[in-house]
Amino acid sequence: MTTNTNSDYPLAPVQFSRLTKRGIMLGLSLPQLVVLGVAILAVVASLYTGGGMGLAWTSPLWSSAALVAVIPAGGRKIIEWVPILARWVARTYLGQLIYRRRIIKPRPAGTLALPGDAAALREWEDPETGAAMIHDPHAQTITAILGVSHPAFVLLDPGEQQRRVSGWGRVLAATCRSGRIARIQVSERTLPDSGSGLAEWWRTHGTNDGSWAATTYAELIERAGPAGERHATTISLALDMKAAARQIRTSGGGMRGAAVVLRQEMTTMTTALRAAELTSTGWLTPGEVAVILRSAYDPAAAPALERHGALGRDLATAGPVAVTETWDRLRSDSAFHAVLWINEWPRSQVFPGFLAPLVLSNGILRTLALHYTPVRADQAARDLRRKKTELISDASQRRKIGQVEDASASAELDDVLQQEADLTAGHGVLRVSGLISVSAPTVDELDAAVAAVEQAAIQASCETRRLVGQQAVAFAAASAEALPPSVAAPAV
């Protein structure tokens, strides 16, 4: 009888697909084609009506349109900034950048006191599991949140790491096969520690015999505990009520039927996580979700909420008291916040623990949120065929006009072919978006924390961009797991 050693299970590297940057024709998007079409029409009309003199007189019009369509600014073409700026101006004019809770006016039962698009969310408590289910009537989703505990991944041996990575891959594959899951969000966040964990450990394992060593250790815990931080991991499971409409009707219809169907998916998720050797601490109750929301918008209150378990457990009042949004940051009750988008994942092969610099960053209150959007197998096959056809046709058009073939386009075609092969082999396809929310008490500390997170992302072979014009909705999607991720950020 022989035993397997760690060398029998080598840790396999992984590689992410590149961010798709396709256009309608020759890599140009619809806004670019519209503006270039206006420029061409202006040139043709001026030549027919005024000849060379007319072309010269209209040169400011068509040259400006051409430049707006092709000149980049801040990672986008200038024309692509127009919708963002227009929405920002409209929100500014309508006074939507400032939120103040009306503490005197009572709220309807089952609603959440949250700003912006999240104001439409509704609360539903599952009578069987006691879990909080958040209903989004606009997106037609209902979400439950699961607490997860796990050992330090970076401290495991390579064989154990590879086994756990394979188990997590099976969890994600199961969600793709379901067809009823709208989104899975994995959030890993740091929270200010009240010191209760260290104090509890000392009461359980310590020897408080009055000696000098015991007294000194107890004083150290008392002083250093509240200055520390702790990590918490949660998984949010969102049911697509449109895709599960038939099952919901069969289960009784309405929110009660949706809760029954979501409960089935919750059981499947818990079983899959157990097979992947991830320990679930239970589906979060309304009080636990309220603490998460309150801690996200008011980090200074988190230690007090942890010490006094009965306080801050009302989900209807867990939202912020005041929120002020600016172009590139957000201020809520006791902190300033900024949200970064992971716009480029590692282009070369990396090992599964590549996010360790981000996850293990110390002294920074931040939340790393990964949004997984499952794609049905038939829809994924159609999308991949369309992408492959567009990439091949774009390459053919570039060859006809004598344009040099771009290496990035060839790499993107290779990614599509690899995804098609994986789909044929039975694997699922998920669209992944990564958001990093950073919080600090002052603006200067926030800028320093953002710079540290950006440097940690570089060490993790990732590229981040600070979102502008959408900080409020981005913060809700990154820091509050139950809120809908309606950020207008592309997904990989």
Side-chain angles (χ1 to χ4, degrees), residues 121-335:
L121 299 182
R122 298 294 182 265
E123 167 195 357
W124 174 272
E125 184 175 357
D126 185 27
E128 292 194 13
T129 62
M133 297 182 178
I134 308 300
H135 176 225
D136 183 359
H138 296 315
Q140 286 297 299
T141 60
I142 182 170
T143 305
I145 307 173
L146 177 67
V148 178
S149 63
H150 50 83
F153 182 82
V154 296
L155 300 181
L156 301 176
D157 60 80
E160 182 66 17
Q161 287 182 349
Q162 181 60 37
R163 194 164 62 86
R164 290 180 179 271
V165 168
S166 301
W168 176 244
R170 289 191 292 270
V171 173
L172 296 179
T175 62
C176 290
R177 289 191 293 268
S178 171
R180 302 185 298 190
I181 301 301
R183 183 188 78 255
I184 293 179
Q185 176 179 339
V186 179
S187 295
E188 201 282 335
R189 63 189 185 278
T190 57
L191 298 171
D193 194 359
S194 64
S196 59
L198 288 175
E200 180 64 27
W201 183 91
W202 173 248
R203 284 193 297 268
T204 304
H205 301 87
T207 304
N208 193 4
D209 54 3
S211 63
W212 175 84
T215 303
T216 303
Y217 196 78
E219 292 178 354
L220 178 62
I221 290 178
E222 183 179 358
R223 294 177 182 177
E229 63 183 24
R230 61 186 179 89
H231 292 251
T233 304
T234 54
I235 299 178
S236 301
L237 185 66
L239 175 72
D240 189 346
M241 299 178 67
K242 294 180 180 178
R246 181 176 59 83
Q247 292 87 347
I248 292 175
R249 287 194 303 268
T250 304
S251 302
M255 287 299 301
R256 191 173 300 276
V260 172
V261 178
L262 178 58
R263 198 182 306 129
Q264 297 171 358
E265 297 294 341
M266 291 161 58
T267 303
T268 303
M269 171 65 72
T270 305
T271 305
L273 290 176
R274 191 182 302 116
E277 298 189 28
L278 292 173
T279 305
S280 62
T281 58
W283 295 93
L284 302 190
T285 62
E288 292 170 332
V289 176
V291 171
I292 291 179
L293 291 177
R294 177 71 183 277
S295 302
Y297 285 100
D298 190 6
L305 295 177
E306 184 181 355
R307 286 193 300 267
H308 306 282
L311 296 179
R313 300 281 170 166
D314 188 0
L315 191 55
T317 59
V321 175
V323 175
T324 302
E325 182 183 1
T326 58
W327 181 248
D328 60 350
R329 69 172 60 94
L330 182 78
R331 182 176 185 180
S332 62
D333 299 348
S334 63

Side-chain angles (χ1 to χ4, degrees), residues 25 54 61 104 131 169 188 190 193 204 237 278 335 353 420 423 429 435:
M25 185 175 64
L61 173 62
I104 299 178
E188 201 282 335
T190 57
D193 194 359
T204 304
L237 185 66
L278 292 173
E420 191 176 29
L423 184 64
V429 175
L435 296 174

